[in-house]
Structures are given as C-alpha cells and as structure tokens.
C-alpha cells in the first residue's frame, strides 16, 4: 500500500488541506475553509511553528494605518492624549508579533502630511511623543535586532525630532531581524511629486534621458525605497478603526498589496487581531494581474 506523506504544520493551509483531503476525507464535512482556519490558528499559536512554518503564508512586509487613537482616548475618559500613548504600546506589541511570525518589514503611518492640519496642541503633543518614544525605545529596538528607517518629508519636522531620527537610524543600521519604516510627515501623493521633481532635475542636468524614465526609476526615488529594496513592496496593509480607505498612504507601493480592515481601534489591537489579519492574508490568492503566480502557496494548486 502506498504511504501518504505526513501532514505537518510547516506547510501552507491549502497544502495541509489537500493532504488531509487525501488521508481523511471525512474531515471535509466541516468544509475546507474551516479546517484551513483551524490549522492556521494552531500554526500561529505555536511559537515553535511560527518560526519555522510556511514562509509563503506569512507576509514579508506588513504596512499599518494605525487609526483610531484619538477616538479611543475620547471614549475612554475623554483624553485623546491617552489614545496616542496607548497607540505607542500597540505599536510595540505589533513589532513583537512581526518578529515572532517572521515578518521582515513593518511600515507604519505615524503622521501624515494632512495631520499638520490638526490643532496646534495635538500636533505639538504628537511631535514630542514621537521624540520621547524613539529616544526611550532605541535600546530595546536595537536589542531586538530592529533596523529603523523613516520615510516622508523630514525637513518639515521639529529639529529635535530630526536629530533623534538620525541617531536611531545610525544606531540600528546594522540590524536585520526586522525593518521598521516609520512614515512621518508622509503623504503618498507628495512623495510621488518629490520623486518626479528629482527625475525632472536629473533630466535637466542630462543625467537621465526622458525615455529612460520607467516605473523602476520613479520607485527608486520614493522615500520608502530603502525598505522596499531590502524586502519588497508591502504584502499586506492593515487599517484599524473601521475606516476603509488608504488616506494617502503608500499609493504607489500598494499596487498589489492585500488589504485588511478591522473595526478595532489601534490602541486595542492585540494578538487576536494580528492572528485574524495573518489568517486573512493566508487565505488570499495573489495573482498580480496574471494567472499562474500564487504567492501564498508553496505549490501550484492546479497540480
Ligand atoms: C515613535 C512612533 C512611531 C510613535 C507612534 C505614535 C502613534 C501611534 C502615532 C499615530 C498618530 C495618529 C495620527 C494616529 C491616527 O489616529 P487618529 O488620531 O487619526 O484617530 P481618529 O481617527 O480617532 O481621529
């Protein structure tokens, strides 16, 4: 009798399901999706498996719109400042989830070009919070092997914050376990415009001919370039607080990114929310406009 291959949790949910279907067809009375979900939940909750499980099912690059801090603070005792402070704690948790599950890069929207329109008080509070947080967290980030980058228009930020940003980038420059790209004073449209301006200048100076301008050339001039050069475009974008839009975040970079929206406000984002987002990603079939490529699978499921 032919022996079937053992099923291990180090395979993607679909591969596991296909193997189970052959070995134990009665299990499928529960439906493929349910089993896939159960297997994937087990896979994620086992810390041993999460460092060795299918790399294909885990996004390499996750982007987060950390939304809902202000509302969260207002609802819990009325102080929006607490919402932003708890937002920092949520970010610390998400960095840990990324490291545990083998995510290679995390890009977060910490302050948009549009956020400058908020009250003087809130903008000042956020700038100071960012400066203090970066200053305080750098030893911990460094000990966890996190390399920090910043994207956006840093010249618009207070000088004290710019100095801390430079120091954090320098101190973490040799780390490679996780890249944390913090988008500050960042807008997707503005970033594309500044990239086009750079290209115009290069054309004017004779360094580049107009017909040499390609998507790759433009992409390399975006402020998120270093992170993407190291780990690729975002695979999954998570937005919290129930809003379902990009709000000028990574407009170029998210052309083929899977989107995940949750009603949870960012300060409440916990391991269950993270697992749900990972599960959502693992269930997606990524085709990039074509047919053959299935990013979340180890094998082609036509076989
Ligand atoms: C050092 C570092 C990277 C710190 C990160 C701090 C942090 C979590 C910043 C996010 C700030 C922000 C504008 C969140 C969006 O929620 P919102 O205020 O727009 O919420 P709302 O939708 O309820 O108004």
């Amino acid at each position: 009798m032919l022996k079937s291959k053992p099923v291990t949790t180090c395979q993607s949910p679909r591969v596991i399901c296909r193997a189970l279907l052959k070995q134990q067809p009665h299990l499928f009375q529960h439906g493929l999706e349910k089993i896939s979900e159960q297997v994937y939940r087990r896979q994620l909750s086992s810390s041993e498996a999460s460092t060795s499980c299918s790399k294909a099912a885990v996004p390499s690059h996750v982007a987060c719109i950390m939304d809902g801090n202000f509302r969260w603070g207002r609802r819990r005792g009325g102080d929006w400042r607490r919402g932003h402070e708890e937002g920092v704690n949520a970010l610390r948790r998400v960095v840990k989830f990324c490291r545990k599950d083998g995510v290679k890069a995390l890009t977060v929207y910490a302050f948009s070009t549009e956020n400058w329109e908020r009250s003087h008080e809130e903008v000042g509070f956020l700038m100071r919070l960012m400066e203090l947080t970066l200053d305080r967290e750098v030893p911990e980030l460094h000990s966890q092997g996190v390399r920090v980058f910043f994207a956006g228009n840093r010249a618009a930020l207070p000088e004290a914050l710019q100095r801390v940003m430079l120091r954090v980038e320098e101190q973490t420059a040799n780390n490679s376990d996780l890249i944390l790209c913090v988008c500050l004073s960042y807008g997707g449209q503005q970033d594309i415009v500044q990239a086009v301006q750079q290209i115009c200048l290069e054309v004017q100076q004779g360094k580049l001919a107009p017909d040499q301008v390609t998507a790759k050339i433009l992409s390399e001039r975006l402020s998120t370039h270093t992170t993407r050069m190291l780990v690729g475009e975002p695979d999954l974008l998570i937005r919290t607080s129930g809003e379902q839009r990009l709000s000028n975040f990574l407009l170029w970079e998210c052309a083929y990114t899977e989107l995940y929206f949750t009603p949870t406000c960012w300060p409440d984002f916990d391991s269950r929310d993270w697992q749900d987002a990972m599960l959502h990603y693992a269930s997606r079939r990524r085709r990039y406009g074509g047919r053959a490529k299935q990013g979340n699978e180890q094998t082609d499921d036509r076989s």
Side-chain angles (χ1 to χ4, degrees), residues 279-293:
L279 186 60
H280 170 86
Y281 179 77
S283 74
R284 306 302 305 154
R285 296 179 67 190
R286 305 185 74 193
R287 289 186 293 275
Y288 302 90
R291 288 199 188 284
K293 191 162 180 180

Side-chain angles (χ1 to χ4, degrees), residues 6 11 43 58 129 139 159 166 169 190 200 224 250 298 303:
Q11 294 163 327
Q43 186 174 298
V58 175
L129 177 69
E159 278 179 16
L166 261 184
E169 280 179 335
Q190 291 82 349
C200 290
T224 55
L250 305 179
Q298 290 175 313
S303 60

